[in-house]
CSV table of all heavy atoms in Angstrom, one decimal:
chain,number,residue,atom,x,y,z
A,59,ASP,N,153.0,-47.9,-9.1
A,59,ASP,CA,153.2,-46.4,-8.9
A,59,ASP,C,153.7,-45.7,-10.1
A,59,ASP,O,153.3,-44.6,-10.4
A,59,ASP,CB,154.2,-46.2,-7.7
A,59,ASP,CG,153.7,-46.7,-6.4
A,59,ASP,OD1,152.4,-46.6,-6.2
A,59,ASP,OD2,154.5,-47.1,-5.5
A,60,ASN,N,154.5,-46.4,-10.9
A,60,ASN,CA,155.0,-45.8,-12.2
A,60,ASN,C,153.8,-45.7,-13.2
A,60,ASN,O,153.8,-44.8,-14.0
A,60,ASN,CB,156.1,-46.7,-12.8
A,60,ASN,CG,157.4,-46.6,-12.0
A,60,ASN,OD1,157.6,-45.6,-11.3
A,60,ASN,ND2,158.2,-47.6,-12.1
A,61,LEU,N,152.9,-46.7,-13.1
A,61,LEU,CA,151.7,-46.6,-14.0
A,61,LEU,C,150.8,-45.5,-13.7
A,61,LEU,O,150.0,-45.0,-14.5
A,61,LEU,CB,151.0,-47.9,-14.0
A,61,LEU,CG,151.8,-49.1,-14.6
A,61,LEU,CD1,150.9,-50.4,-14.4
A,61,LEU,CD2,152.1,-48.9,-16.0
A,62,ARG,N,150.7,-45.1,-12.4
A,62,ARG,CA,149.8,-44.1,-11.9
A,62,ARG,C,150.3,-42.7,-12.1
A,62,ARG,O,149.6,-41.7,-11.8
A,62,ARG,CB,149.4,-44.3,-10.5
A,62,ARG,CG,148.6,-45.5,-10.2
A,62,ARG,CD,148.1,-45.5,-8.8
A,62,ARG,NE,147.3,-46.8,-8.5
A,62,ARG,CZ,147.8,-47.8,-7.9
A,62,ARG,NH1,149.1,-47.8,-7.5
A,62,ARG,NH2,147.1,-48.9,-7.7
A,63,LYS,N,151.6,-42.5,-12.5
A,63,LYS,CA,152.2,-41.2,-12.6
A,63,LYS,C,151.4,-40.3,-13.6
A,63,LYS,O,151.2,-39.1,-13.3
A,63,LYS,CB,153.6,-41.3,-13.0
A,63,LYS,CG,154.5,-41.7,-11.9
A,63,LYS,CD,156.0,-41.7,-12.4
A,63,LYS,CE,156.9,-42.2,-11.2
A,63,LYS,NZ,158.3,-42.3,-11.7
A,64,ASN,N,151.0,-40.8,-14.7
A,64,ASN,CA,150.4,-40.0,-15.8
A,64,ASN,C,148.9,-40.2,-15.7
A,64,ASN,O,148.2,-40.1,-16.8
A,64,ASN,CB,150.9,-40.3,-17.1
A,64,ASN,CG,152.4,-40.0,-17.3
A,64,ASN,OD1,152.8,-39.0,-16.6
A,64,ASN,ND2,153.1,-40.8,-18.0
A,65,PHE,N,148.3,-40.6,-14.6
A,65,PHE,CA,146.9,-40.9,-14.5
A,65,PHE,C,146.0,-39.7,-14.8
A,65,PHE,O,145.0,-39.8,-15.4
A,65,PHE,CB,146.6,-41.4,-13.1
A,65,PHE,CG,145.1,-41.7,-12.9
A,65,PHE,CD1,144.5,-42.8,-13.5
A,65,PHE,CD2,144.3,-40.9,-12.1
A,65,PHE,CE1,143.2,-43.1,-13.3
A,65,PHE,CE2,143.0,-41.2,-11.9
A,65,PHE,CZ,142.4,-42.3,-12.5
A,66,LYS,N,146.4,-38.5,-14.4
A,66,LYS,CA,145.6,-37.3,-14.5
A,66,LYS,C,145.5,-36.9,-16.0
A,66,LYS,O,144.6,-36.2,-16.4
A,66,LYS,CB,146.2,-36.2,-13.7
A,66,LYS,CG,146.1,-36.4,-12.2
A,66,LYS,CD,146.6,-35.2,-11.4
A,66,LYS,CE,146.5,-35.5,-10.0
A,66,LYS,NZ,147.1,-34.5,-9.1
A,67,ASN,N,146.4,-37.3,-16.8
A,67,ASN,CA,146.4,-37.0,-18.3
A,67,ASN,C,145.2,-37.7,-19.0
A,67,ASN,O,144.7,-37.3,-20.0
A,67,ASN,CB,147.6,-37.4,-19.0
A,67,ASN,CG,148.8,-36.6,-18.5
A,67,ASN,OD1,148.7,-35.5,-17.9
A,67,ASN,ND2,150.0,-37.1,-18.7
A,68,TYR,N,144.7,-38.8,-18.4
A,68,TYR,CA,143.6,-39.6,-19.0
A,68,TYR,C,142.3,-39.2,-18.5
A,68,TYR,O,141.3,-39.8,-18.9
A,68,TYR,CB,143.9,-41.1,-18.8
A,68,TYR,CG,145.2,-41.6,-19.3
A,68,TYR,CD1,146.2,-42.0,-18.5
A,68,TYR,CD2,145.3,-41.6,-20.7
A,68,TYR,CE1,147.4,-42.4,-19.1
A,68,TYR,CE2,146.5,-42.1,-21.3
A,68,TYR,CZ,147.6,-42.5,-20.4
A,68,TYR,OH,148.7,-42.9,-21.0
A,69,ILE,N,142.2,-38.3,-17.5
A,69,ILE,CA,140.9,-37.9,-16.9
A,69,ILE,C,139.9,-37.3,-18.0
A,69,ILE,O,138.8,-37.7,-18.0
A,69,ILE,CB,141.1,-37.0,-15.7
A,69,ILE,CG1,141.7,-37.8,-14.6
A,69,ILE,CG2,139.8,-36.4,-15.3
A,69,ILE,CD1,142.0,-37.0,-13.3
A,70,PRO,N,140.4,-36.4,-18.8
A,70,PRO,CA,139.4,-35.8,-19.8
A,70,PRO,C,138.9,-36.9,-20.8
A,70,PRO,O,137.6,-36.9,-21.0
A,70,PRO,CB,140.3,-34.8,-20.6
A,70,PRO,CG,141.4,-34.5,-19.7
A,70,PRO,CD,141.7,-35.7,-18.9
A,71,VAL,N,139.7,-37.8,-21.2
A,71,VAL,CA,139.2,-38.9,-22.1
A,71,VAL,C,138.2,-39.8,-21.4
A,71,VAL,O,137.1,-40.2,-21.9
A,71,VAL,CB,140.3,-39.7,-22.7
A,71,VAL,CG1,139.8,-40.8,-23.6
A,71,VAL,CG2,141.3,-38.8,-23.5
A,72,GLY,N,138.6,-40.1,-20.1
A,72,GLY,CA,137.7,-41.0,-19.3
A,72,GLY,C,136.3,-40.3,-19.0
A,72,GLY,O,135.3,-40.9,-19.1
A,73,ALA,N,136.4,-39.0,-18.8
A,73,ALA,CA,135.2,-38.2,-18.5
A,73,ALA,C,134.3,-38.2,-19.8
A,73,ALA,O,133.0,-38.3,-19.7
A,73,ALA,CB,135.5,-36.8,-18.1
A,74,ILE,N,134.9,-38.0,-20.9
A,74,ILE,CA,134.1,-38.0,-22.2
A,74,ILE,C,133.4,-39.3,-22.4
A,74,ILE,O,132.2,-39.4,-22.8
A,74,ILE,CB,135.0,-37.5,-23.4
A,74,ILE,CG1,135.4,-36.1,-23.2
A,74,ILE,CG2,134.3,-37.8,-24.7
A,74,ILE,CD1,136.4,-35.6,-24.2
A,75,VAL,N,134.2,-40.4,-22.3
A,75,VAL,CA,133.6,-41.7,-22.5
A,75,VAL,C,132.5,-42.0,-21.4
A,75,VAL,O,131.4,-42.5,-21.8
A,75,VAL,CB,134.7,-42.8,-22.4
A,75,VAL,CG1,134.1,-44.2,-22.3
A,75,VAL,CG2,135.7,-42.7,-23.5
A,76,GLY,N,132.7,-41.6,-20.2
A,76,GLY,CA,131.7,-41.8,-19.2
A,76,GLY,C,130.4,-41.0,-19.5
A,76,GLY,O,129.3,-41.5,-19.3
A,77,ILE,N,130.5,-39.8,-19.9
A,77,ILE,CA,129.4,-39.0,-20.3
A,77,ILE,C,128.6,-39.6,-21.5
A,77,ILE,O,127.4,-39.7,-21.5
A,77,ILE,CB,129.8,-37.5,-20.6
A,77,ILE,CG1,130.2,-36.8,-19.3
A,77,ILE,CG2,128.7,-36.8,-21.3
A,77,ILE,CD1,130.9,-35.5,-19.5
A,78,LEU,N,129.4,-40.1,-22.5
A,78,LEU,CA,128.7,-40.8,-23.6
A,78,LEU,C,128.0,-42.0,-23.2
A,78,LEU,O,126.9,-42.3,-23.7
A,78,LEU,CB,129.8,-41.1,-24.7
A,78,LEU,CG,130.3,-40.0,-25.5
A,78,LEU,CD1,131.5,-40.5,-26.4
A,78,LEU,CD2,129.3,-39.3,-26.3
A,79,VAL,N,128.5,-42.8,-22.3
A,79,VAL,CA,127.8,-44.0,-21.8
A,79,VAL,C,126.6,-43.6,-21.0
A,79,VAL,O,125.5,-44.2,-21.2
A,79,VAL,CB,128.8,-44.8,-20.9
A,79,VAL,CG1,128.0,-45.9,-20.2
A,79,VAL,CG2,129.9,-45.5,-21.7
A,80,LEU,N,126.6,-42.6,-20.2
A,80,LEU,CA,125.5,-42.1,-19.5
A,80,LEU,C,124.4,-41.6,-20.5
A,80,LEU,O,123.2,-41.9,-20.3
A,80,LEU,CB,125.8,-41.0,-18.5
A,80,LEU,CG,126.5,-41.5,-17.2
A,80,LEU,CD1,127.0,-40.3,-16.4
A,80,LEU,CD2,125.6,-42.4,-16.4
A,81,VAL,N,124.8,-40.9,-21.5
A,81,VAL,CA,123.8,-40.4,-22.5
A,81,VAL,C,123.1,-41.6,-23.2
A,81,VAL,O,121.9,-41.6,-23.4
A,81,VAL,CB,124.5,-39.5,-23.5
A,81,VAL,CG1,123.6,-39.2,-24.7
A,81,VAL,CG2,124.9,-38.2,-22.8
A,82,GLU,N,123.9,-42.6,-23.6
A,82,GLU,CA,123.4,-43.8,-24.2
A,82,GLU,C,122.4,-44.5,-23.3
A,82,GLU,O,121.3,-44.9,-23.8
A,82,GLU,CB,124.5,-44.7,-24.7
A,82,GLU,CG,125.3,-44.2,-25.8
A,82,GLU,CD,126.5,-45.1,-26.2
A,82,GLU,OE1,126.6,-46.1,-25.5
A,82,GLU,OE2,127.2,-44.8,-27.1
A,83,MET,N,122.7,-44.7,-22.1
A,83,MET,CA,121.8,-45.3,-21.1
A,83,MET,C,120.6,-44.5,-20.9
A,83,MET,O,119.5,-45.1,-20.9
A,83,MET,CB,122.6,-45.6,-19.8
A,83,MET,CG,123.6,-46.6,-19.8
A,83,MET,SD,124.6,-46.7,-18.3
A,83,MET,CE,123.4,-47.1,-17.1
A,84,ALA,N,120.7,-43.2,-20.9
A,84,ALA,CA,119.5,-42.4,-20.7
A,84,ALA,C,118.6,-42.5,-21.9
A,84,ALA,O,117.4,-42.6,-21.8
A,84,ALA,CB,119.9,-40.9,-20.4
A,85,LEU,N,119.2,-42.5,-23.1
A,85,LEU,CA,118.4,-42.6,-24.3
A,85,LEU,C,117.7,-44.0,-24.4
A,85,LEU,O,116.5,-44.1,-24.8
A,85,LEU,CB,119.3,-42.5,-25.6
A,85,LEU,CG,119.8,-41.0,-25.8
A,85,LEU,CD1,120.8,-41.0,-27.0
A,85,LEU,CD2,118.6,-40.1,-26.1
A,86,VAL,N,118.3,-45.1,-24.0
A,86,VAL,CA,117.7,-46.4,-24.0
A,86,VAL,C,116.5,-46.4,-23.0
A,86,VAL,O,115.4,-46.9,-23.3
A,86,VAL,CB,118.7,-47.5,-23.6
A,86,VAL,CG1,118.1,-48.8,-23.3
A,86,VAL,CG2,119.7,-47.6,-24.8
A,87,ILE,N,116.7,-45.8,-21.8
A,87,ILE,CA,115.7,-45.8,-20.8
A,87,ILE,C,114.5,-45.0,-21.2
A,87,ILE,O,113.3,-45.4,-21.1
A,87,ILE,CB,116.2,-45.4,-19.4
A,87,ILE,CG1,117.2,-46.4,-18.9
A,87,ILE,CG2,115.1,-45.1,-18.4
A,87,ILE,CD1,118.0,-46.0,-17.7
A,88,ILE,N,114.8,-43.8,-21.8
A,88,ILE,CA,113.7,-42.9,-22.2
A,88,ILE,C,113.0,-43.5,-23.4
A,88,ILE,O,111.8,-43.5,-23.5
A,88,ILE,CB,114.3,-41.5,-22.6
A,88,ILE,CG1,114.8,-40.8,-21.3
A,88,ILE,CG2,113.2,-40.7,-23.3
A,88,ILE,CD1,115.6,-39.6,-21.6
A,89,GLY,N,113.8,-44.1,-24.3
A,89,GLY,CA,113.2,-44.8,-25.5
A,89,GLY,C,112.3,-46.0,-25.1
A,89,GLY,O,111.2,-46.2,-25.7
A,90,SER,N,112.7,-46.7,-24.1
A,90,SER,CA,111.8,-47.8,-23.7
A,90,SER,C,110.6,-47.4,-23.0
A,90,SER,O,109.5,-48.0,-23.1
A,90,SER,CB,112.6,-48.8,-22.8
A,90,SER,OG,113.0,-48.1,-21.6
A,91,GLY,N,110.7,-46.2,-22.3
A,91,GLY,CA,109.5,-45.7,-21.7
A,91,GLY,C,108.5,-45.1,-22.6
A,91,GLY,O,107.3,-45.2,-22.5
A,92,VAL,N,109.0,-44.4,-23.7
A,92,VAL,CA,108.2,-43.8,-24.7
A,92,VAL,C,107.5,-44.8,-25.6
A,92,VAL,O,106.3,-44.8,-25.9
A,92,VAL,CB,109.0,-42.8,-25.5
A,92,VAL,CG1,108.2,-42.3,-26.7
A,92,VAL,CG2,109.4,-41.6,-24.7
A,93,ALA,N,108.3,-45.8,-26.0
A,93,ALA,CA,107.8,-46.8,-27.0
A,93,ALA,C,106.8,-47.8,-26.3
A,93,ALA,O,106.0,-48.4,-27.0
A,93,ALA,CB,108.9,-47.6,-27.6
A,94,GLY,N,106.8,-47.9,-25.0
A,94,GLY,CA,105.9,-48.8,-24.3
A,94,GLY,C,106.6,-50.2,-24.2
A,94,GLY,O,107.7,-50.4,-24.6
A,95,SER,N,105.8,-51.1,-23.8
A,95,SER,CA,106.3,-52.4,-23.6
A,95,SER,C,106.2,-53.2,-24.9
A,95,SER,O,105.1,-53.5,-25.4
A,95,SER,CB,105.5,-53.1,-22.5
A,95,SER,OG,105.9,-54.5,-22.3
A,96,THR,N,107.4,-53.5,-25.4
A,96,THR,CA,107.4,-54.3,-26.7
A,96,THR,C,108.1,-55.7,-26.4
A,96,THR,O,108.7,-56.3,-27.2
A,96,THR,CB,108.2,-53.6,-27.7
A,96,THR,OG1,109.6,-53.3,-27.2
A,96,THR,CG2,107.6,-52.3,-28.1
A,97,ALA,N,107.9,-56.1,-25.1
A,97,ALA,CA,108.6,-57.4,-24.8
A,97,ALA,C,107.8,-58.5,-25.4
A,97,ALA,O,106.6,-58.5,-25.6
A,97,ALA,CB,108.6,-57.5,-23.2
A,98,VAL,N,108.6,-59.5,-25.8
A,98,VAL,CA,108.0,-60.8,-26.3
A,98,VAL,C,107.4,-61.5,-25.2
A,98,VAL,O,107.9,-61.6,-24.1
A,98,VAL,CB,109.2,-61.6,-27.0
A,98,VAL,CG1,108.6,-62.9,-27.5
A,98,VAL,CG2,109.9,-60.8,-28.0
A,99,PRO,N,106.2,-62.0,-25.5
A,99,PRO,CA,105.5,-62.8,-24.4
A,99,PRO,C,106.3,-64.0,-24.0
A,99,PRO,O,106.9,-64.7,-24.8
A,99,PRO,CB,104.1,-63.2,-25.0
A,99,PRO,CG,104.3,-62.9,-26.5
A,99,PRO,CD,105.4,-61.9,-26.7
A,100,MET,N,106.3,-64.3,-22.7
A,100,MET,CA,107.1,-65.4,-22.2
A,100,MET,C,106.5,-66.7,-22.6
A,100,MET,O,105.3,-66.9,-22.6
A,100,MET,CB,107.1,-65.3,-20.6
A,100,MET,CG,107.8,-64.1,-20.1
A,100,MET,SD,109.6,-64.2,-20.4
A,100,MET,CE,110.1,-65.5,-19.4
């Protein structure tokens, strides 16, 4: 309970990190769709 007292102070930093992770994932997905299949043959 003492650790959760200042939880709201960390929401902006957490939101920024979450948005950056989502942007990176979107760039990877879009980049893999644009570049086509470059997978190494099994």
